C-alpha cells in the first residue's frame, strides 16, 4: 500500500488530541523529511545529474533525458541551486528552490525561484530515507516551462572595435559576409547529416569534420561550414545552397581587413570561440561567442570585443518564446596601430611574386613606428616579419662593424681580405660572387662595402666575449622586451668557441634575428640613436637599459652603408631618387630540404624609412632581396 500524505496528516491530528505537543513534533519531522529530500534535489541539479535520484512518477532515465533537453541550449552553464524553504500542508508538500546562473561577463547572475512538489514514499521504500519522493516537472528548472519547454542562451551582436593604422585609416572593421551552414531546426537529424555532406561538396570544405560537427550540434543549431566575404562568395554556392533543404547562406558582418592577405599573420582573425577557450576562461567566453582567435585580435580581444549582449529565452516547441533575462551589449574599443595601409599593401604586392617564404618590415627611424610588416604567401600564414628567427648573414656586419669600431678599428684602417681563412680547423670563405680582384689588403670601409667575410673574421681578436652583444643591443637587436605584439628581437649570446666567435661576426653561428630586428638596426643607424620599434599605439614599452648608440658612431656607420649602396654590394639602391640611401646585403647558409641552402637578406634606409627584406631561400642578397627593397623604397618615396 502507498502511504499518502493526507492520511499521515490526519493520523498526526488524531495523535495530537491524545498527546499534548506530539502534533508539533510530527509537523517538524515532516518538514525535516521534505527538506532532506529537497536538499538531494538541489544537489543533483547543481551536479547536472537529476537522473541519479528516484522520482515519484517518472523513471530516472526519463528525468535525466528531460533535464538534459531542458538545459542543452544554455551552452554548459552551471547553476547554483539552494533550498530556500519547505512547506508541508494537509494536502501536499513543496520546497522552494533558489536558482542562480552565471550569465554575464562581469559577474552578472540570473536569479529566480521555482517549486518542486513531493509525494510521500511508499511503504518499504528504504531508499527514501527522508520519507518523500520529488515529482519531476520541467517547471522545477524554470517555473514557466511547459512539458516540452527548453532554455536557450542567445548572444546579441556587438559592435567590435576597429583596428586603425597610420593617420587613423581603418584597417579592420565590420565588413559584409555570407555564412554558409546547416540549420538543424529545418530538418530531422539524419537529414541534416545528409545535407551537411551536400553542402561540404558545394562550398569545397572537408566533409568528415563538418558532418561530425553537425551530428554533435543541438537540434536547433546553425552549424557554419565556411564564411565568404560577400563580394567573393562563388555564384555556384550562392545559387546551389537553395537546393539543400537545411542549408542557409546568412548575411552578416565580420571584423575583416581590406583583403584576406592584409597583415593577416600579424592582425590575426576573428571567429567562433573554441572549446579550449571556453574551458580556459569560462567567465569570459561562452559557446557561440565570436572573439579574436589569433594574432592581435586575440591578444587585445578584451578591448576590441566589448561585451556581447546575452539573453535567456524560454522556448516552446510550438514556437512561443519568452525572454527571461537579459544583459545588454556594450561595444568594443578601437585599437590603433602604426601600420601604413599603402606601404603594407605595397610590401605585400612585391612579396606576392616570390615563391619562397619572404618578409619585409619597414620602420620609421624618427619614432620607431612599424609602417609595414608583410609576409609573402610562401610563409604559409606564419609571422616571419616580426617573429621570425633566422641567421641574418652579412646584414649583421652592421653590428659587427660597430663592435670593431668601438674596439679601435678605423674605417680607413687596413685589413686583410684573403679568399679563405681557417679557425680551429674550420675554413671560412667569401661568398661565391666576391670579386676576386678585390681580395688582398683593403681599408675596413672597402671590406664592409664589399662584404668580405674573411676580413671580419680575422679581426675577431679585437673583441671580448660581450662586445658583439653590446653592439647589437645599441642597435636594438638581441634584447628581449614586451612591445605589445609578437616580436623577436634576436639573440647574440657570448661565443662558446673560436669557431663560433668567427661565425657570429658574419651573422651565422648562434646569432639570430627577425626582419623586424634588422630593420630596427638600420633605423638606429639612420636615426643616430637606439631605436625601439613600436606597433600598438598607447603601449608603454620598457626598453632595456643598454649602451646607447652615439651620434658619432652612427655617422661612421652611415658612411659605411652609404658607400655600400653607392658602389658596393647594395648598389642596386644607387639610382633611387631623393637622398642617398644606406644599404647592406647578406646571405646565411642553413640546412634546408635540398641540402645546404642560403637565406637572402638586404637592409636599407632612405630619409625617414628603414627597411629589411628577408627571403628564406635565395641566390644572393643583392639578386634576390635587393630588387624587392629597391622597388619598395622607390614606391614609398
Amino acid at each position: 500500500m502507498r502511504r499518502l500524505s493526507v492520511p499521515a496528516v490526519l493520523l498526526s491530528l488524531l495523535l495530537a488530541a491524545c498527546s499534548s505537543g506530539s502534533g508539533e513534533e510530527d509537523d517538524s519531522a515532516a518538514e525535516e523529511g521534505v527538506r532532506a529530500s529537497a536538499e538531494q534535489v538541489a544537489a543533483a541539479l547543481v551536479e547536472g545529474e537529476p537522473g541519479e535520484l528516484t522520482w515519484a512518477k517518472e523513471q530516472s532515465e526519463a528525468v535525466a533525458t528531460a533535464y538534459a533537453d531542458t538545459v542543452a541550449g544554455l551552452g554548459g552553464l552551471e547553476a547554483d541551486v539552494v533550498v530556500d524553504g519547505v512547506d508541508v500542508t494537509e494536502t501536499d508538500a513543496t520546497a522552494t528552490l533558489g536558482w542562480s546562473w552565471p550569465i554575464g561577463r562581469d559577474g552578472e547572475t540570473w536569479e529566480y525561484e521555482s517549486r518542486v512538489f513531493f509525494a510521500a514514499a511508499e511503504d518499504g521504500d528504504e531508499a527514501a530515507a527522508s520519507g518523500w519522493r520529488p515529482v519531476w516537472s520541467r517547471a522545477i528548472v524554470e517555473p514557466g516551462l511547459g512539458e516540452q519547454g527548453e532554455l536557450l542562451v542567445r548572444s546579441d551582436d556587438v559592435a567590435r572595435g576597429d583596428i586603425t593604422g597610420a593617420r587613423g585609416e581603418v584597417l579592420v572593421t565590420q565588413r559584409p559576409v555570407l555564412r554558409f551552414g546547416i540549420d538543424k531546426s529545418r530538418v530531422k537529424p539524419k537529414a541534416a547529416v545528409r545535407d551537411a555532406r551536400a553542402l561540404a561538396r558545394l562550398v569545397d570544405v572537408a566533409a568528415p569534420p563538418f558532418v561530425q560537427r553537425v551530428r554533435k550540434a543541438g537540434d536547433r543549431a546553425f552549424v557554419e561550414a565556411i564564411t565568404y566575404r560577400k563580394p567573393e562568395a562563388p555564384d555556384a554556392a550562392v545559387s546551389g545552397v537553395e537546393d539543400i533543404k537545411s542549408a542557409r547562406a546568412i548575411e552578416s558582418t565580420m571584423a575583416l581587413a581590406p583583403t584576406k592577405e592584409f597583415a593577416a599573420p600579424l592582425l590575426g582573425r576573428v571567429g567562433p570561440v573554441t572549446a579550449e577557450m571556453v574551458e580556459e576562461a569560462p567567465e569570459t567566453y561562452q559557446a557561440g561567442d565570436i572573439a579574436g582567435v589569433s594574432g592581435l585580435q586575440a591578444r587585445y580581444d578584451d578591448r576590441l570585443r566589448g561585451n556581447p549582449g546575452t539573453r535567456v529565452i524560454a522556448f516552446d516547441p510550438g514556437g512561443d518564446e519568452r525572454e527571461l533575462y537579459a544583459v545588454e551589449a556594450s561595444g568594443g574599443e578601437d585599437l590603433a596601430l602604426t601600420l601604413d595601409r599603402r606601404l603594407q599593401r605595397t610590401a605585400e604586392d612585391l612579396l606576392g611574386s616570390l615563391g619562397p617564404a619572404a618578409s619585409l618590415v619597414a620602420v620609421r627611424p624618427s619614432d620607431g613606428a612599424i609602417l609595414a610588416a608583410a609576409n609573402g604567401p610562401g610563409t604559409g600564414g606564419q609571422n616571419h616579419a616580426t617573429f621570425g628567427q633566422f641567421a641574418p648573414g652579412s646584414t649583421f656586419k652592421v653590428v659587427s662593424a660597430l663592435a670593431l669600431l668601438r674596439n679601435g678599428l678605423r674605417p680607413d684602417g687596413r685589413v686583410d681580405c684573403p679568399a679563405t681563412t681557417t679557425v680551429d680547423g674550420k675554413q671560412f670563405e667569401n661568398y661565391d660572387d666576391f670579386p676576386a680582384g678585390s681580395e688582398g689588403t683593403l681599408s675596413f670601409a672597402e671590406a664592409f662595402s664589399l662584404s668580405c667575410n674573411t676580413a671580419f673574421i680575422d679581426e675577431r681578436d679585437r673583441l671580448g666575449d660581450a662586445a658583439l652583444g653590446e653592439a647589437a643591443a645599441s642597435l636594438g637587436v638581441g634584447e628581449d622586451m614586451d612591445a605589445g605584439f609578437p616580436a623577436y628581437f634576436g639573440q647574440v649570446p657570448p661565443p662558446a668557441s673560436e669557431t663560433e666567435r668567427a661565425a657570429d661576426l658574419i651573422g651565422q653561428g648562434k646569432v639570430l634575428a627577425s626582419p623586424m630586428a634588422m630593420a630596427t638596426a638600420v633605423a638606429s643607424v639612420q636615426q643616430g640613436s637606439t631605436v625601439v620599434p613600436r606597433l600598438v599605439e598607447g603601449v608603454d614599452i620598457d626598453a632595456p637599459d643598454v649602451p646607447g648608440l652615439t651620434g658619432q658612431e652612427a655617422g661612421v656607420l652611415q658612411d659605411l652603408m652609404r658607400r655600400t649602396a653607392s658602389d658596393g654590394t647594395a648598389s642596386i639602391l644607387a639610382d633611387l631618387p631623393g637622398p642617398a640611401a644606406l644599404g647592406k646585403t647578406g646571405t646565411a647558409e642553413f640546412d634546408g630540404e635540398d641540402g645546404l641552402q642560403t637565406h637572402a637578406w638586404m637592409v636599407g634606409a632612405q630619409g625617414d624609412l628603414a627597411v629589411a627584406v628577408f627571403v628564406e631561400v635565395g641566390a644572393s642578397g643583392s639578386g634576390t632581396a635587393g630588387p624587392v627593397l629597391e622597388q619598395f623604397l622607390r614606391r614609398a618615396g
Side-chain angles (χ1 to χ4, degrees):
M1 292 180 60
R2 284 188 70 177
R3 189 192 317 144
L4 301 179
S5 57
V6 172
V9 173
L10 291 176
L11 178 61
S12 68
L13 292 173
L14 291 173
L15 292 174
C18 301
S19 175
S20 174
S22 63
E24 293 180 2
E25 293 175 1
D26 288 345
D27 288 345
S28 176
E31 288 184 3
E32 290 178 2
V34 173
R35 179 174 290 278
S37 185
E39 295 286 358
Q40 292 178 344
V41 172
L45 292 170
V46 168
E47 295 297 324
E49 297 179 347
E52 297 296 315
L53 300 178
T54 301
W55 296 79
K57 299 180 181 181
E58 293 281 356
Q59 294 294 321
S60 294
E61 293 82 357
V63 172
T65 300
Y67 180 76
D69 290 344
T70 303
V71 301
L74 295 181
L77 291 178
E78 297 180 357
D80 184 31
V81 187
V82 298
V83 179
D84 283 345
V86 299
D87 185 24
V88 180
T89 69
E90 295 183 4
T91 56
D92 56 32
T94 61
T96 300
L97 302 180
W99 290 77
S100 177
W101 295 88
I103 297 297
R105 269 67 169 184
D106 294 323
E108 300 95 335
T109 56
W110 171 37
E111 298 178 354
Y112 59 91
E113 290 184 339
S114 69
R115 300 176 71 194
V116 55
F117 293 87
F118 294 86
E122 296 179 355
D123 287 334
D125 187 354
E126 296 179 359
S130 67
W132 299 92
R133 288 294 189 200
V135 179
W136 169 255
S137 166
R138 295 198 186 201
I140 294 174
V141 183
E142 198 283 322
L145 291 179
E147 292 184 2
Q148 301 297 318
E150 299 178 12
L151 299 177
L152 306 174
V153 168
R154 291 177 180 162
S155 293
D156 291 343
D157 290 337
V158 61
R160 188 175 180 84
D162 291 339
I163 297 180
T164 62
R167 300 174 299 279
E169 274 194 294
V170 174
L171 304 180
V172 180
T173 190
Q174 296 298 125
R175 304 181 194 272
V177 297
L178 281 177
R179 300 171 58 211
F180 287 79
I182 295 296
D183 184 351
K184 292 188 70 175
S185 67
R186 291 185 165 189
V187 295
K188 293 182 178 179
K190 288 185 178 180
V193 170
R194 289 196 300 271
D195 287 353
R197 293 192 181 96
L199 181 61
R201 289 192 297 271
L202 179 66
V203 299
D204 194 25
V205 300
F210 178 57
V211 169
Q212 186 70 0
R213 287 193 290 118
V214 170
R215 184 179 281 116
K216 289 183 176 181
D219 291 344
R220 279 173 299 283
F222 175 78
V223 186
E224 184 175 309
I226 193 171
T227 297
Y228 289 102
R229 293 169 183 261
K230 191 173 180 181
E232 299 174 4
D235 292 339
V238 174
S239 58
V241 73
E242 299 177 359
D243 299 328
I244 303 173
K245 188 172 182 180
S246 64
R248 296 178 63 192
I250 299 176
E251 293 191 11
S252 183
T253 61
M254 183 175 290
L256 297 172
T259 66
K260 182 179 179 180
E261 298 79 15
F262 186 91
L266 184 62
L267 296 175
R269 66 181 185 87
V270 174
V273 295
T274 64
E276 291 79 9
M277 292 171 68
V278 175
E279 182 178 354
E280 291 175 4
E283 71 287 351
T284 301
Y285 300 117
Q286 298 173 6
D289 283 352
I290 300 297
V293 294
S294 63
L296 296 177
Q297 290 282 10
R299 175 157 185 172
Y300 293 96
D301 188 59
D302 285 347
R303 179 190 301 188
L304 290 162
R305 177 174 48 89
N307 286 321
T310 304
R311 301 185 185 279
V312 183
I313 305 296
F315 174 83
D316 184 271
D320 294 334
E321 294 186 358
R322 292 180 295 119
E323 183 179 293
L324 303 175
Y325 184 77
V327 176
E328 297 302 321
S330 59
E333 299 177 21
D334 292 349
L335 181 69
L337 306 181
T338 61
L339 286 182
D340 184 292
R341 178 170 173 166
R342 181 180 69 86
L343 294 181
Q344 178 73 21
R345 297 192 70 167
T346 298
E348 289 171 351
D349 179 55
L350 291 168
L351 296 176
S353 61
L354 296 176
S359 301
L360 183 154
V361 175
V363 174
R364 186 164 56 211
S366 59
D367 61 1
I370 295 176
L371 303 179
N375 294 280
T379 64
Q382 299 299 307
N383 177 20
H384 288 350
T386 69
F387 204 66
Q389 302 179 26
F390 305 102
S394 289
T395 60
F396 192 72
K397 286 175 183 170
V398 177
V399 174
S400 301
L402 176 60
L404 292 170
L405 291 169
R406 284 178 170 177
N407 285 273
L409 185 58
R410 295 169 52 86
D412 58 359
R414 307 308 287 176
V415 295
D416 290 329
C417 178
T420 65
T421 188
T422 301
V423 179
D424 286 351
K426 179 175 175 57
Q427 181 174 281
F428 293 87
E429 60 184 24
N430 293 317
Y431 58 91
D432 291 342
D433 295 330
F434 188 85
S438 298
E439 291 170 351
T441 302
L442 308 173
S443 71
F444 179 56
E446 290 174 313
F448 182 93
S449 66
L450 294 174
S451 200
C452 179
N453 290 339
T454 57
F456 275 79
I457 291 171
D458 285 347
E459 294 296 324
R460 66 188 182 279
D461 289 341
R462 291 179 179 270
L463 305 180
D465 287 350
L468 208 56
E470 290 176 354
S474 297
L475 293 173
V477 177
E479 294 291 326
D480 192 25
M481 64 189 86
D482 184 1
F485 63 96
Y488 179 69
F489 291 88
Q491 67 170 34
V492 188
S497 66
E498 280 302 298
T499 302
E500 191 172 294
R501 184 192 304 276
D504 287 349
L505 276 162
I506 59 173
Q508 302 227 199
K510 294 293 181 65
V511 172
L512 296 174
S514 65
M516 178 203 70
M518 295 314 300
T520 300
V522 180
S524 297
V525 172
Q526 183 77 327
Q527 180 63 16
S529 59
T530 306
V531 169
V532 176
R534 61 185 187 87
L535 175 71
V536 183
E537 300 283 15
V539 171
D540 294 327
I541 303 173
D542 293 328
D545 184 13
V546 298
L549 179 69
T550 69
Q552 181 179 6
E553 292 169 339
V556 176
L557 292 174
Q558 289 168 7
D559 288 341
L560 293 176
M561 295 186 71
R562 195 174 295 116
R563 176 171 181 164
T564 306
S566 63
D567 53 15
T569 59
S571 60
I572 192 173
L573 306 180
D575 295 331
L576 285 173
L582 311 185
K584 185 71 190 76
T585 57
T587 56
E589 294 180 344
F590 71 101
D591 290 323
E593 294 180 357
D594 298 325
L596 193 64
Q597 296 177 292
T598 55
H599 300 319
W601 288 84
M602 188 166 182
V603 296
Q606 186 181 38
D608 201 11
L609 194 61
V611 184
V613 175
F614 165 77
V615 183
E616 189 169 24
V617 181
S620 67
S622 58
T624 306
V628 176
L629 193 147
E630 187 270 341
Q631 281 297 307
F632 182 81
L633 289 176
R634 190 175 294 276
R635 296 188 193 182

